[in-house]
Amino acid sequence: MAGADTCRPAVTTAVSSGHIPVLAAEIVDALAPRAGDIIVDATFGAGGYSRALLAAADCHVVALDRDPDAASRAARFASDVAPARFTFLPGCFGDLDTLLPAGGFDRVDGIVFDVGVSSFQLDEAERGFSFQSDGPLDMRMSRVGESAADIVNAYSEAELVALFREYGEEPKARRIAAAIVAERDGTPFSRTHQLADLVVRTVGQPRPRKGRKTVHPATRVFQALRILVNDELGELRRGLLAAEARLKTGGRLVVVSFHSLEDRIVKTFLAERAGRVPAGSRHRPPSLEAARPPSFDLKRKSAVKPTAAEVDANPRARSARLRAAVRTPAPVWGAKDGEGWS
């Protein structure tokens, strides 16, 4: 990108916890940090991106995370890495527009979102995000509010069907929802293995297919529950709007997503705000978006994907998609009536 420091040191991606940040080199390249820049790591997690950015330039990183456990990790990170160049703000990245001013930051030079669940949350069985190890059926990133167990035990069959179809894109949603309702009448759901086993009994294990990775039958169900529990798609929409408002002219936005629902929101948001909307015709007048000056400039049309070497080293990177854009001088578009770009 324009203005990038070609003498930046090599990207440092090692994290003491053993967690590997996805597409770290590509993120640093897209954000192009320079001395004096303020860069927001909107999903601190294990600090992999913050570490790489601080190593790449004499910038200041402002990290956000809604998970209460992240605060202690951030405190250790600051003392180990660069306390004078690092600030941690607890909270949801969807509230970035208010969190930054409250923390003493107005406009910033870059923002990176790593959307979805963190490796820490997946690896800790007691958080209930994964069925790989048995734990409470929880999934709350912030540890407050309605849990996955609350939803599974209280939602009607029709509501569960809609949830699994919309947020999990699960083709067997009706069978799974009916089985859950029948099962919970005798024993309410409270554990991850309890739900995962029910899904397997209901739809069976997939047949192995040559050259294709076998996906556990409960994957989409767990994804749907996690998205609802944490309002992940709503957070993403609010975060993108906040980024548009808080980035300086020339500020860089980078978003890493891990499934089609997230990527579709990011792709549509950036395409519209870059002016890449259908032109009008004599049968259809130009849209309002087509008449607005673009608030973002896309650096490339397609998403950046991890290399085969990165996927081999870190299988969790397999579905990652990176999209990047640069803020123009145009006014903020702001939210549309309804959800729009979803």
Side-chain angles (χ1 to χ4, degrees):
M1 292 186 180
D5 181 358
T6 57
C7 297
R8 291 198 310 267
V11 173
T12 301
T13 60
V15 178
S16 58
S17 64
H19 295 271
I20 305 172
V22 175
L23 292 168
E26 291 83 355
I27 284 170
V28 171
D29 183 64
L31 287 171
R34 298 173 287 243
D37 278 358
I38 299 173
I39 308 292
V40 177
D41 179 356
T43 43
F44 178 71
Y49 296 149
S50 291
R51 185 182 301 272
L53 291 164
L54 290 168
D58 187 19
C59 60
H60 189 102
V61 170
V62 181
L64 279 61
D65 205 303
R66 70 161 90 175
D67 191 331
D69 293 350
S72 59
R73 292 197 297 270
R76 293 192 298 271
F77 176 91
S79 63
D80 291 343
V81 180
R85 296 196 292 127
F86 178 78
T87 301
F88 179 74
L89 302 176
C92 298
F93 64 67
D95 298 326
L96 186 151
D97 196 25
T98 55
L99 288 173
L100 286 180
F105 303 92
D106 184 21
R107 297 293 187 269
V108 299
D109 301 283
I111 299 174
V112 56
F113 295 98
D114 178 8
V115 187
V117 65
S118 76
S119 295
F120 272 108
Q121 292 161 340
L122 283 172
D123 292 344
E124 295 174 3
E126 64 272 16
R127 301 300 301 273
F129 285 94
S130 173
F131 44 75
Q132 300 301 324
S133 299
D134 191 35
L137 190 58
D138 194 322
M139 303 192 191
R140 294 173 298 175
M141 292 180 181
S142 59
R143 296 186 183 270
V144 297
E146 192 176 48
S147 71
D150 293 332
I151 292 168
V152 169
N153 289 317
Y155 273 38
S156 69
E157 182 175 332
E159 288 172 326
L160 290 173
V161 171
L163 168 62
F164 299 152
R165 283 179 175 170
E166 182 177 357
Y167 288 168
E169 300 177 300
E170 171 55 65
K172 299 176 182 177
R174 189 170 298 281
R175 288 172 57 189
I176 295 170
I180 286 173
V181 171
E183 181 95 354
R184 74 188 185 192
D185 287 343
T187 306
F189 287 87
S190 63
R191 309 287 296 181
T192 56
H193 276 183
Q194 182 185 4
L195 177 59
D197 291 346
L198 181 278
V199 175
V200 172
R201 294 199 312 270
T202 302
V203 303
Q205 288 282 8
R207 294 181 180 179
R209 301 179 67 179
K210 187 176 181 180
R212 292 193 180 184
K213 182 179 180 292
T214 300
V215 178
H216 191 284
T219 299
R220 295 186 183 92
V221 169
F222 272 65
Q223 172 184 297
L225 288 167
R226 193 199 77 220
I227 288 173
L228 179 62
V229 166
N230 299 290
D231 187 24
E232 292 181 27
L233 302 186
E235 281 296 314
L236 177 56
R237 294 186 184 98
R238 291 188 289 274
L240 292 171
L241 290 170
E244 182 185 38
R246 288 296 159 190
L247 280 169
K248 299 176 182 177
T249 298
R252 288 78 67 193
L253 173 63
V254 178
V255 186
V256 179
S257 59
F258 289 87
H259 59 72
S260 60
L261 297 176
E262 298 167 342
D263 186 55
R264 192 179 305 135
I265 289 173
V266 178
K267 179 180 179 181
T268 305
F269 175 86
L270 291 178
E272 284 193 358
R273 278 155 175 76
R276 296 186 177 182
V277 295
S281 68
R282 61 186 182 138
H283 302 294
R284 181 182 62 190
S287 67
L288 175 62
E289 287 74 20
R292 289 181 174 179
S295 61
F296 280 100
D297 176 28
L298 298 186
K299 293 293 94 178
R300 54 182 292 166
K301 292 182 180 179
S302 58
V304 176
K305 301 178 182 179
T307 63
E310 178 170 3
V311 172
D312 287 342
N314 182 15
R316 286 179 178 168
R318 180 179 291 105
S319 60
R321 300 291 182 268
L322 182 155
R323 296 187 185 275
V326 176
R327 187 69 170 87
T328 72
V332 170
W333 286 29
K336 297 167 62 176
D337 292 336
E339 292 185 337
W341 45 273
S342 60

